[in-house]
Each structure stands twice: as structure tokens, then as C-alpha cells.
Amino acid sequence: MKIVRYQDGQGKVRCGALQGDGAVRRIEGDIFGAHEVTSETAQEAKRLAPILPSAILAIGLNYREHARESGAKIPDFPILFFKGVNSLQNPGDPIVIPTHLRSNEVDYEAELAIVIGKACKNASKSNAMDYVYGYTCANDVSARDWQIKFGGSQWCRGKTFDTFCPLGPCIVTKDEIANPNDLRMRCTVSGEVLQDINTSDMIFDVPALIEFLSGSTTLLPGTVILTGTPQGVGMGREPKRWLHAGDTVTVEIEKIGSLTNPVVEE
């Protein structure tokens, strides 16, 4: 099933099941618990990010080719950082380049995102997939100057500005994706393909990430895990390819869909 989140004409936020013809059927109940897909066609006033995350956990340097382009060694363990839930952005809404706390090096990062569907602690690789609800597209937007030069060796400042985590267009439930580590993923900026790779290049695959992140730690339902970005980011190019007002960024993942956001200045 493909699940979307939307605002109806009365301003109420609802979830719906996306149909093959593009129509949306309203879902009644909790998507992580008891719910049903009704026969009612949703009246969408605005499409939202498909989930309001309880937490956003992100992994750095999880693609072999991206580690190489970054001049970094292959990590022994997943590299974890956090993005604030304030960074969430809807499909179609703008990525905002910070000007109050100025960044001149805002970068795109296409990523596969995991959505956790039930409380998870001390999972093993063998049962990790039991806790996965589904998958969506993500863009781990990053202000590289604040991430690398001005952040005091911590990545969070450069990763957690408002609008720096677009998600969407839908959550595809795990039953529709047999192997999340065999999906083609692309990122285009203003029509130019800049990232194009298969998720099989991950250093730590989806079960390994869940095992690691849930170690002595409870992952709550609604936790979103960003699984890392492949090579081709703006920082790794010569000349550098930073985002600018007027750009449009699209993250496309096989079997999930396309997430598109314009870029503006604050």
C-alpha cells in the first residue's frame, strides 16, 4: 500500500491510501495500529510529508562511492547524527536557504528513508525487518559550511535548519518492496542528473542499521531513519554544485516515486 498524508478542505490532517489511478481513499484510524481504508475519496487541499516523525535518525557515509568521493575511510560502525523534527518539509514546498544564520554551501542528498512501525529495542539482523513499516524518499539537505567549518565538529547545526528534511511523496509499505537494498535512486537538480546509483552500494544495509540503532535504545513508532546518500553530492564535485534560489531538486526512488522541492532564500 502507498500511504499519503494530507490536509483536507476543513484543515484537518488525514492519511489516505494512494490508488493506481492517482485517487486517494481516506484511511480511518491509526496507520501503526487499527485502521481501515474507507471507500471515501479524499478531498485533498494540500499534500503533506507522509509522516510526522517521532524522531529523525540519519546515517553518514553509508555508501562506498560517497565515502571515496569524500576522502573518508569506510567506517567500522554506522555514523549516526540527528535532524530535528523542525527540519521536516512537505513535497512541493520549498527548501529554504538560511540567510539569518547564513549558509553559502547548501547541498542536496538523495536518501532512502525507513519508517519504523512499532517500538523496537535490541533488534537483530534476523528480525529487524519485523519493525519496518515502510519506506519513503528523503532529501538530507545539508549546509556544508555549518556542518564542517562552523559547527564545532558536530554535524547537527548544518543538518537541521528548517525545511532541511523533505520527505515523500508517500510511504510504501514493506510488503511492496522485497529488498530495500536493491532500488535505483536518482537525484536531479534543475533537470541535471547528479546522483544515480542502486541502494546495494550501502555499507550497512537496512537490517544492519536497525540492529545498530536499536541497540540499548528504543526506536518509537514513527521514527524515520535516513540511510545515507550516494556519490554525486555538490560538495564532491569540481566545481562545487551548491543549491541556489530558483533550483528544483527531485529525489526519485524505484517503487516509491518522486519527491520534488523548489529552492528559495529565507
Side-chain angles (χ1 to χ4, degrees):
M1 183 163 56
K2 292 185 176 181
I3 296 174
V4 298
R5 186 168 153 268
Y6 64 94
Q7 191 175 55
D8 67 16
Q10 288 71 50
K12 187 169 182 177
V13 175
R14 298 182 179 274
C15 289
L18 184 63
Q19 307 299 297
D21 61 1
V24 174
R25 298 279 182 85
R26 186 170 64 83
I27 293 176
E28 190 67 41
D30 178 7
I31 62 169
F32 297 132
H35 67 275
E36 65 171 335
V37 178
T38 70
S39 59
E40 179 185 332
T41 300
Q43 302 300 314
E44 289 188 87
K46 181 178 177 59
R47 183 70 61 87
L48 304 175
I51 187 171
L52 187 61
S54 55
I56 304 172
L57 281 59
I59 303 297
L61 293 174
N62 196 33
Y63 280 76
R64 292 172 180 83
E65 291 299 324
H66 178 50
R68 291 189 186 101
E69 77 175 348
S70 302
K73 75 178 187 70
I74 300 297
D76 296 323
F77 299 96
I79 298 172
L80 170 65
F81 61 94
F82 292 85
K83 292 175 80 81
V85 294
N86 66 288
S87 66
L88 183 70
Q89 186 55 301
N90 305 310
D93 283 351
I95 295 165
V96 180
I97 295 175
T99 57
H100 184 80
L101 196 60
R102 182 75 205 186
S103 175
N104 296 306
E105 298 178 356
V106 176
D107 207 347
Y108 52 88
E109 291 192 17
E111 306 206 10
L112 173 70
I114 307 164
V115 180
I116 296 296
K118 58 184 178 180
C120 172
K121 183 175 182 179
N122 295 331
S124 64
K125 287 183 183 180
S126 62
N127 69 8
M129 300 303 290
D130 295 344
Y131 300 95
V132 174
Y133 184 78
Y135 307 94
T136 191
C137 302
N139 188 349
D140 176 20
V141 183
S142 306
R144 301 298 191 190
D145 38 12
W146 285 101
Q147 177 188 356
I148 297 169
K149 291 180 276 190
F150 310 141
S153 79
Q154 300 294 314
W155 289 4
C156 295
R157 174 66 284 177
K159 294 278 192 174
T160 202
F161 288 107
D162 287 352
T163 77
F164 271 30
C165 189
L167 293 178
C170 61
I171 297 171
V172 178
T173 53
K174 67 178 179 181
D175 58 292
E176 295 197 9
I177 295 179
N179 182 4
N181 286 105
D182 186 19
L183 299 172
R184 186 181 182 188
M185 179 166 62
R186 302 199 320 160
C187 181
T188 61
V189 179
S190 298
E192 182 182 3
V193 178
L194 298 178
Q195 294 181 288
D196 189 350
I197 202 170
N198 192 286
T199 56
S200 61
D201 191 53
M202 283 187 195
I203 297 165
F204 303 100
D205 64 11
V206 169
L209 291 176
I210 294 171
E211 179 184 54
F212 176 79
L213 294 172
S214 69
S216 303
T217 304
T218 301
L219 307 181
L220 297 173
T223 297
V224 171
I225 301 170
L226 308 190
T227 58
T229 199
Q231 82 275 15
V233 296
M235 179 179 66
R237 293 179 171 273
E238 289 299 338
K240 310 296 185 190
R241 188 13 174 136
W242 307 125
L243 296 180
H244 300 286
D247 280 332
T248 299
V249 186
T250 297
V251 175
E252 181 180 3
I253 302 179
E254 180 185 1
K255 300 182 180 180
I256 298 175
S258 297
L259 168 67
T260 298
N261 300 90
V263 180
V264 302
E265 284 205 345
E266 184 180 17

